[in-house]
């Protein structure tokens, strides 16, 4: 089974802090994704990566950046946290960029982030 | 117009009944369709995927796809209280789009 591990289940930070959310997958997947999930809005894509050191903006990249230095690890960074970034953050991975549109995404357990 | 639309619910059915969950999408070029189940406070887990028009059955679950109508549905037969969750529809055409989910409650 694919295992996608997010470093924290719950996180509380203060406005203006730099926040790091970590995600690791153990199945050698090429593609990794960061979403946020808010009530009534569903899952919204923040950034994704299809290879080491590669990144692409999703639908809502403003206020976020990402880092993928190793294939198994994809980090989401909130440069200066704001209260409107309070949300559930989900990391996901799929196996291969060329066929990724046909591949289901495997999700981590999520990080519930509160910005005070 | 949202790209993937689902009725937010809640949809309430008695135990043993058939639960019918619906999803419409706007991108006519969409190729792949997925249903995820998400328990409260948990992450989404894949339960079904379908690529071709028609029905696909897996145990108590049946996914139905009608590309001409841009419609995909999930039927859950013999619903159990453990099926109570939010069901997310996801549609992909080189990138995946999720609906906001339908909350299903199965009452004993």
């Amino acid at each position: 089974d694919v295992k996608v591990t997010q470093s924290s289940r719950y996180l509380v930070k203060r406005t203006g802090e730099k926040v790091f959310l970590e995600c690791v997958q153990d199945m050698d997947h090429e593609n990794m994704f960061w979403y946020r999930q808010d009530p009534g809005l569903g899952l919204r894509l923040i950034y994704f990566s299809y290879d080491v050191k590669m990144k692409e903006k999703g639908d809502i990249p403003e206020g976020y950046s990402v880092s993928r230095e190793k294939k198994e690890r994809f980090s989401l960074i909130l440069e200066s946290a704001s209260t409107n970034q309070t949300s559930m953050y989900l990391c996901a991975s799929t196996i291969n960029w060329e066929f990724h549109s046909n591949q289901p995404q495997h999700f981590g357990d999520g990080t519930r982030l509160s910005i005070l | 117009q949202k790209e993937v639309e689902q009725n937010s619910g809640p949809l309430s059915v008695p135990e043993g009944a058939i639960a019918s969950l619906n999803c419409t999408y706007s991108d006519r070029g969409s190729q792949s369709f997925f249903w995820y189940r998400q328990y409260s406070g948990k992450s989404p887990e894949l339960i079904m995927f379908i690529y071709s028009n028609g029905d696909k059955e897996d145990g108590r679950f049946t996914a139905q796809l009608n590309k001409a109508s841009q419609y995909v549905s999930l039927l859950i037969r013999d619903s159990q209280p453990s099926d109570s969750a939010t069901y997310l529809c996801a549609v992909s055409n080189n990138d995946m789009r999720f609906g906001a989910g339908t909350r299903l409650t199965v009452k004993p």
Side-chain angles (χ1 to χ4, degrees):
Chain A
D1 270 358
V2 176
K3 183 68 175 176
V4 180
T5 303
Q6 294 183 229
S7 54
S8 305
R9 288 301 309 277
Y10 301 95
L11 208 53
V12 180
K13 296 291 182 180
R14 296 209 172 271
T15 303
E17 281 193 69
K18 191 169 187 176
V19 181
F20 294 85
L21 302 182
E22 306 287 343
C23 176
V24 177
Q25 49 91 7
D26 67 355
M27 285 301 292
D28 203 35
H29 282 179
E30 282 82 359
N31 311 313
M32 297 187 74
F33 307 81
W34 274 107
Y35 294 91
R36 62 178 283 178
Q37 186 175 31
D38 301 288
L41 297 178
L43 284 154
R44 292 182 291 167
L45 182 64
I46 304 171
Y47 267 97
F48 64 99
S49 169
Y50 54 88
D51 202 352
V52 176
K53 298 193 185 295
M54 305 301 288
K55 60 184 179 182
E56 296 285 341
K57 292 180 180 179
D59 297 321
I60 52 164
E62 296 78 18
Y64 303 94
S65 63
V66 290
S67 173
R68 189 145 181 223
E69 296 296 319
K70 294 184 178 181
K71 191 175 185 180
E72 68 270 19
R73 185 179 297 270
F74 192 35
S75 302
L76 179 70
I77 304 154
L78 284 66
E79 297 291 344
S80 177
S82 64
T83 54
N84 62 13
Q85 292 178 309
T86 292
S87 187
M88 169 71 93
Y89 289 86
L90 289 162
C91 175
S93 71
T94 61
I95 186 166
N96 182 291
W97 171 253
E98 187 174 346
F99 301 106
H100 91 287
S101 65
N102 284 342
Q103 301 302 314
Q105 296 191 359
H106 301 271
F107 287 88
D109 287 337
T111 297
R112 189 164 291 282
L113 175 65
S114 297
I115 307 296
L116 304 179
Chain B
Q1 181 188 4
K2 290 183 180 178
E3 293 173 316
V4 181
E5 295 215 41
Q6 297 182 254
N7 188 325
S8 62
L11 173 66
S12 183
V13 300
E15 185 175 356
I18 296 175
S20 178
L21 304 161
N22 304 316
C23 172
T24 58
Y25 59 93
S26 60
D27 183 353
R28 202 168 267 284
S30 298
Q31 303 167 36
S32 312
F33 307 85
F34 306 89
W35 283 100
Y36 288 83
R37 178 177 61 201
Q38 186 174 23
Y39 292 114
S40 181
K42 301 292 187 182
S43 61
E45 56 177 327
L46 180 73
I47 51 172
M48 289 286 289
F49 60 90
I50 186 168
Y51 303 142
S52 304
N53 275 329
D55 294 0
K56 179 181 178 183
E57 189 174 315
D58 184 0
R60 296 186 297 112
F61 298 98
T62 299
Q64 299 176 316
L65 175 62
N66 183 327
K67 289 186 178 180
S69 300
Q70 295 174 244
Y71 176 94
V72 58
S73 65
L74 179 71
L75 300 178
I76 307 174
R77 288 182 301 280
D78 188 24
S79 295
Q80 301 296 309
S82 59
D83 294 325
S84 298
T86 296
Y87 290 80
L88 304 177
C89 172
V91 175
S92 183
N93 179 14
N94 294 321
D95 61 354
M96 192 168 294
R97 300 294 178 183
F98 288 85
T102 297
R103 188 156 56 93
L104 171 67
T105 300
V106 180
K107 295 187 174 179

